[in-house]
Amino acid sequence: MFRNQYDSDISVWSPQGRLHQVEYALEAVKQGSAAVGLRSKTHAVLVAVKRTPGDLASYQKKMIRIDDHMGVAIAGLTSDARVLSNYMRTEAMRSKMLYNRPLPIGRIVSALADKAQVNTQNYGGRPYGVGLLVIGQDETGPHLFECSPSGNNFEYYAMAIGARGQSAKTYLERHYEQFAEASLEDLVHHGLQALKATLQQDKKLDTDNASVAFVGENQKFTVLEGEALTSYLARLGSTDAPAAAAAPADVAPMETE
Amino acid sequence: MADGISAPIEHRYSPYTDNGGTILAIAGEDFCVIAGDTRQSEGYSINTRYAPKVFKMSNNSVLANSGFHADGVTLAKQLDQRIQESTGEWYRHAHEKDMSTPAFAQLLATTLYGKRFFPYYTFSIVGGLDKEGKGCVYGYDPVGSFERYTCRAAGSAQNLIQPFLDSQVGITAVNRAEQLSLVSVIRIVKDAFTSATERDIYTGDFIEMFIITQEGVETQLHPLKRD
Amino acid sequence: MNRQDQLLDGFYRRDTYSPRVQDMYPRDQPSAFAGVDPVAHTQSPIVTGTSVIALKFQGGVMMAADTLASYGSLARFRDVERLHKLTDTAVLGSTGDVSDYQHVQHMMERLMIREDYHNDGHKLAPPHLFEYLRNVMYHRRSKNDPLWNRFVLAGHHNNTSFLGYVDLQGTTYQSDTIATGFGAHLAQPLLRKAVESRGGPQNVTEEDAIKIIEDCMRVLFYRDARSLNKFQRATIATDRLEITEPYSVDTEWAFAESIRGYGV
């Protein structure tokens, strides 16, 4: 993607009918490390790979709890994700305060989309530089949504965002028919396998860089990290992951996370 | 007015009412028991036999409110939003851990004092474990002045129960409570409520009891006389 | 000395040594607020409805209220409906000021419309509506501008019955039986006895419930001078919400002839 004369502000159309700034924001999501979401009839699961700037640093967290029934995985600008997740938390609390009702997942996702849209139409502004996978459980069951900087949002059976997310999507497309009836453990396993497909050749999922979260009926939103993942990773190591689709050329990770 | 008969009937509005009810808490060596009856009254009427007034706020702090029920519920809800894991958010989101009971006790005091000139009409007690893991109890007045106790009763049967607790548990920091076992503390709590139910019309129906230990919070419900 | 001054006097001329603001500004000095009355909100209801009674039964909830709206002791309006269908699963009954009740009706209506606009399958269940109403009532009492009502919210959603009370002070409770106003004294004991003697609401059939409600409404008509023998009854059960047209129960007045002051 190259600079051109129609990308200096968000509110300027290109003659081809494109908003280049929005498309750049979508690129920012692709620079973030991968996050995968999938759901069954009873649970929704997120898995993600965390990045670290080096051996001396901690890993950037990828999962954010919104409420007991909802959480997100992020890819892109972490600081933008913090703004959005704070907004989601405020709305979740407001719903509890006013109606004593856990905030319906679809509603907050629409509200998020409205916020993102505003940033694609105002001069001098910039779109959010983060993509979210939102999972949650409400009266209508478990849900998985993707929120993107363009203001689009879709509900999915399974979805991946972030660097080389396409490889994960290939895995998900091949296996999604099994997800509906899968147990929570199997769902996490599928998620990790999809996530594994996004890794560079020399990288592995381990207790340091993997992050798992899930929610369901009678299951509060829970994040598993570190030693808690040992059994899942052991199972992952013992299965032969399907050959990943040819990964696109690696994009150099910028200061996105 | 002396000649009450000739006075016109007057409906004066008050933003407060008294819903009765009794709460108490006892701090043990490594546990804390905090309990309340579940009756809600207004005048001579019993509104309901089960309206909880003791609330689990986190994995180690429990709040009990007597007095004006609506304020008690609002207060608990407001505090809940600020602290704990299951519904409350800000403290946990910021620190990713539960608030300690002494910190919660201070939060309650500032929250109550924040409404110094339109107070929450609640007599509150907080029970939990302190940083050393010892049982702790805090008692409050409606505008937030508070103190740590080893045992404390509040509400409509406060003056029936507090002397009993003082005799059975003691009032100083170094006292028998540290030797009292959980079993005997539970017995004292039950005895206190059973006796209070006999003489106080605003106490009865059920005891809802919360037992706080290192392992977490356990809830028990025991019947009281319903008359 | 007028009444207001008498009241103020009680505050100002108390025998105390504490340096209060009132003491520093003698009352015979002209005040900056002279001639300005403090903001006054509703201090009493005007047109009022009397008791609402309700109980849970096996698989549902039943509620009743008569159709009288009194102006003081005057039976002013005789066909005012005090049971309002909120959703397909919830009914709201009101005691107290009728105009405040109608205001709440409109407010809840607006809430339902806002909710329907989402069109996403999510509905406000009875407990959610109840919490909303509690917030409204508590908020208004906190502004010292109360909505002068005692509300009963009955609902049945996902095979769970809900019965809750909220009043002008924001006081709330839930119970198997609820009665407001005079009903709290006359009907509540009858309702509790009827339900408890059967071992709980799960043993009260719908026929039982109708009988219990009608007996209570009869007692209330006999004894409550602000009541009317013309009432509606709402039933909220699985996949069913119905509010009857106003109807009456049979009453017996022959004995009244022998009561001194009524008959001869």
Side-chain angles (χ1 to χ4, degrees):
Chain A
M1 195 162 292
F2 301 100
R3 256 199 73 94
N4 64 64
Q5 67 184 117
Y6 298 105
D7 70 353
S8 56
D9 191 82
I10 188 66
S11 58
V12 176
W13 287 102
S14 84
Q16 287 76 36
R18 306 164 73 134
L19 292 170
H20 287 285
Q21 285 291 330
V22 173
E23 293 181 16
Y24 299 165
L26 295 171
E27 288 304 309
V29 178
K30 289 184 197 161
Q31 307 229 358
S33 64
V36 174
L38 58 169
R39 74 169 165 86
S40 68
K41 281 180 177 168
T42 55
H43 292 85
V45 168
L46 293 171
V47 296
V49 56
K50 296 182 287 186
R51 274 195 192 139
T52 178
D55 292 346
L56 301 176
S58 62
Y59 285 81
Q60 178 59 55
K61 81 178 195 180
K62 297 278 286 178
M63 306 293 183
I64 302 176
R65 173 184 173 275
I66 303 300
D67 201 343
D68 280 340
H69 71 298
M70 193 189 335
V72 299
I74 61 175
L77 287 178
T78 308
S79 49
D80 281 12
R82 217 162 43 236
V83 170
L84 290 175
S85 62
N86 272 343
Y87 169 73
M88 293 171 80
R89 284 168 177 172
T90 311
E91 288 300 302
M93 286 173 71
R94 209 168 69 90
S95 180
K96 281 241 180 87
M97 195 55 149
L98 201 54
Y99 305 111
N100 203 198
R101 168 171 75 171
L103 185 60
I105 316 303
R107 298 243 176 123
I108 187 62
V109 168
S110 315
L112 229 39
D114 291 349
K115 268 177 94 68
Q117 194 281 335
V118 170
N119 290 340
T120 67
Q121 214 176 6
N122 286 332
Y123 176 82
R126 72 161 172 84
Y128 290 111
V130 69
L132 303 179
L133 286 179
V134 183
I135 59 165
Q137 165 79 31
D138 61 27
E139 278 187 323
T140 53
H143 295 283
L144 165 69
F145 287 92
E146 182 209 3
C147 295
S148 81
S150 59
N152 280 327
N153 65 65
F154 293 102
E155 180 160 18
Y156 290 98
Y157 292 111
M159 183 56 183
I161 57 172
R164 286 176 302 284
Q166 186 53 52
S167 312
K169 272 192 262 184
T170 307
Y171 175 90
L172 297 171
E173 280 160 12
R174 281 191 194 144
H175 294 85
Y176 80 98
E177 279 159 331
Q178 304 162 38
F179 296 168
E181 303 296 334
S183 69
L184 176 57
E185 280 65 33
D186 289 348
L187 215 51
V188 172
H189 185 61
H190 278 300
L192 288 171
Q193 282 193 300
L195 190 65
K196 199 167 144 184
T198 71
L199 297 178
Q200 288 162 278
Q201 294 278 268
D202 56 332
K203 294 276 168 48
K204 276 183 66 181
L205 283 175
D206 55 40
T207 51
D208 289 329
N209 68 9
S211 189
V212 171
F214 44 79
V215 69
E217 200 174 3
N218 308 317
Q219 172 66 61
K220 289 179 180 177
F221 181 82
T222 309
V223 179
L224 295 185
E225 286 179 335
E227 295 307 311
L229 293 176
T230 314
S231 64
Y232 292 104
L233 292 172
R235 183 178 168 192
L236 187 67
S238 67
T239 13
D240 284 324
D250 188 18
V251 185
M254 300 301 291
E255 287 180 10
T256 49
E257 289 179 8
Chain B
M1 264 159 249
D3 52 340
I5 302 159
S6 67
I9 295 171
E10 199 174 313
H11 298 279
R12 285 292 307 267
Y13 169 71
S14 162
Y16 294 115
T17 190
D18 183 2
N19 299 109
T22 306
I23 51 174
L24 74 78
I26 298 172
E29 178 61 29
D30 57 353
F31 63 87
C32 179
V33 176
I34 178 165
D37 70 319
T38 65
R39 176 174 294 180
Q40 191 202 92
S41 319
E42 220 164 337
Y44 288 121
S45 299
I46 295 172
N47 285 340
T48 179
R49 300 195 190 280
Y50 185 73
K53 50 178 153 276
V54 190
F55 308 98
K56 180 182 167 187
M57 305 303 291
S58 70
N59 278 326
N60 52 24
S61 305
V62 177
L63 166 70
N65 293 318
S66 64
F68 178 31
H69 183 263
D71 273 351
V73 169
T74 308
L75 177 63
K77 215 172 158 181
Q78 200 199 333
L79 291 167
D80 197 37
Q81 291 234 323
R82 292 198 44 192
I83 55 145
Q84 68 111 349
E85 33 115 350
S86 72
T87 50
E89 311 296 329
W90 290 136
Y91 189 93
R92 189 191 140 98
H93 282 317
H95 305 288
E96 297 207 320
K97 64 169 190 186
D98 276 350
M99 188 184 273
S100 72
T101 305
F104 175 68
Q106 182 62 51
L107 173 68
L108 174 56
T110 46
T111 307
L112 287 168
Y113 192 78
K115 271 175 66 72
R116 171 63 181 79
F117 299 107
F118 185 21
Y120 285 122
Y121 216 117
T122 54
F123 298 88
S124 304
I125 296 178
V126 168
L129 301 177
D130 67 12
K131 279 160 192 156
E132 278 84 56
K134 292 186 189 316
C136 63
V137 166
Y138 295 87
Y140 296 77
D141 79 354
V143 289
S145 79
F146 75 116
E147 202 178 340
R148 186 170 168 174
Y149 298 86
T150 45
C151 63
R152 178 73 171 167
S156 56
Q158 182 189 36
N159 41 25
L160 277 67
I161 289 180
Q162 189 69 55
F164 171 69
L165 292 185
D166 290 345
S167 75
Q168 297 299 306
V169 182
I171 50 173
T172 56
V174 188
N175 58 47
R176 280 185 49 203
E178 291 177 6
Q179 280 92 55
L180 283 174
S181 67
L182 178 57
V183 178
S184 39
V185 166
I186 291 174
R187 203 183 58 232
I188 290 169
V189 171
K190 284 188 191 170
D191 283 352
F193 274 102
T194 325
S195 310
T197 301
E198 291 294 326
R199 284 287 182 166
D200 176 22
I201 59 166
Y202 300 113
T203 301
D205 297 329
F206 298 97
I207 312 174
E208 194 160 48
M209 198 188 299
F210 289 70
I211 299 154
I212 305 135
T213 59
Q214 282 304 350
E215 278 75 58
V217 182
E218 185 202 324
T219 315
Q220 294 182 0
L221 196 67
H222 300 286
L224 287 171
K225 282 170 79 169
R226 293 151 70 94
D227 56 5
Chain C
M1 206 182 259
N2 65 26
R3 178 156 168 75
Q4 197 184 359
D5 279 319
Q6 275 175 4
L7 272 172
L8 290 172
D9 223 45
F11 290 113
Y12 290 137
R13 307 221 187 274
R14 268 196 318 216
D15 187 19
T16 170
Y17 294 100
S18 62
R20 295 168 305 163
V21 176
Q22 305 87 294
D23 301 327
M24 292 182 234
Y25 296 92
R27 293 205 61 234
D28 47 3
Q29 297 288 311
S31 151
F33 301 105
V36 181
D37 286 336
V39 179
H41 298 298
T42 310
Q43 293 296 313
S44 62
I46 314 288
V47 177
T48 60
T50 186
S51 320
V52 174
I53 61 170
L55 81 159
K56 286 188 193 171
F57 64 91
Q58 185 189 69
V61 202
M62 202 175 280
M63 171 156 68
D66 70 23
T67 59
L68 179 65
S70 308
Y71 181 73
S73 60
L74 173 72
R76 181 66 183 82
F77 306 102
R78 295 193 296 177
D79 52 0
V80 173
E81 303 195 349
R82 295 193 291 122
L83 299 183
H84 172 67
K85 180 181 165 182
L86 289 173
T87 64
D88 291 341
T89 59
V91 172
L92 180 67
S94 161
T95 290
D97 195 280
V98 172
S99 61
D100 283 352
Y101 166 57
Q102 288 173 350
H103 170 69
V104 169
Q105 263 181 292
H106 285 127
M107 211 179 51
M108 297 305 273
E109 209 57 62
R110 276 204 307 277
L111 173 66
M112 291 328 143
I113 290 169
R114 272 207 309 276
E115 190 71 9
D116 284 350
Y117 277 165
H118 286 286
N119 197 227
D120 59 1
H122 286 282
K123 299 229 159 59
L124 285 167
H128 306 144
L129 295 166
F130 184 69
E131 187 63 30
Y132 182 79
L133 196 59
R134 187 196 85 86
N135 277 302
V136 169
M137 297 301 277
Y138 184 81
H139 181 73
R140 287 294 292 262
R141 87 99 218 185
S142 297
K143 287 202 298 182
N144 242 291
D145 184 15
L147 293 166
W148 210 287
N149 300 100
R150 296 168 197 286
F151 289 118
V152 181
L153 197 150
H156 189 80
H157 186 85
N158 282 346
N159 286 318
T160 315
S161 289
F162 181 93
L163 185 54
Y165 165 100
V166 55
D167 69 13
L168 69 165
Q169 286 158 321
T171 305
T172 52
Y173 59 84
Q174 294 173 44
S175 184
D176 290 345
T177 61
I178 287 178
T180 63
F182 236 110
H185 303 103
L186 293 172
Q188 182 70 286
L190 301 173
L191 291 167
R192 285 195 182 140
K193 192 175 177 184
V195 173
E196 285 170 21
S197 68
R198 288 171 171 83
Q202 70 279 7
N203 299 324
V204 180
T205 64
E206 188 168 345
E207 293 70 43
D208 288 342
I210 295 173
K211 171 89 168 42
I212 296 164
I213 286 277
E214 289 179 354
D215 285 348
C216 287
M217 292 310 282
R218 185 181 293 110
V219 170
L220 283 169
F221 177 59
Y222 279 136
R223 289 292 177 181
D224 178 1
R226 305 283 168 269
S227 71
L228 193 67
N229 188 12
K230 185 182 169 197
F231 62 90
Q232 289 178 290
R233 185 168 48 74
T235 311
I236 309 101
T238 314
D239 302 324
R240 185 159 59 91
L241 185 155
E242 52 192 16
I243 302 177
T244 65
E245 286 302 307
Y247 72 104
S248 303
V249 286
D250 296 331
T251 48
E252 168 61 56
W253 292 99
F255 67 91
E257 297 304 320
S258 62
I259 295 175
R260 194 159 64 97
Y262 183 89
V264 207

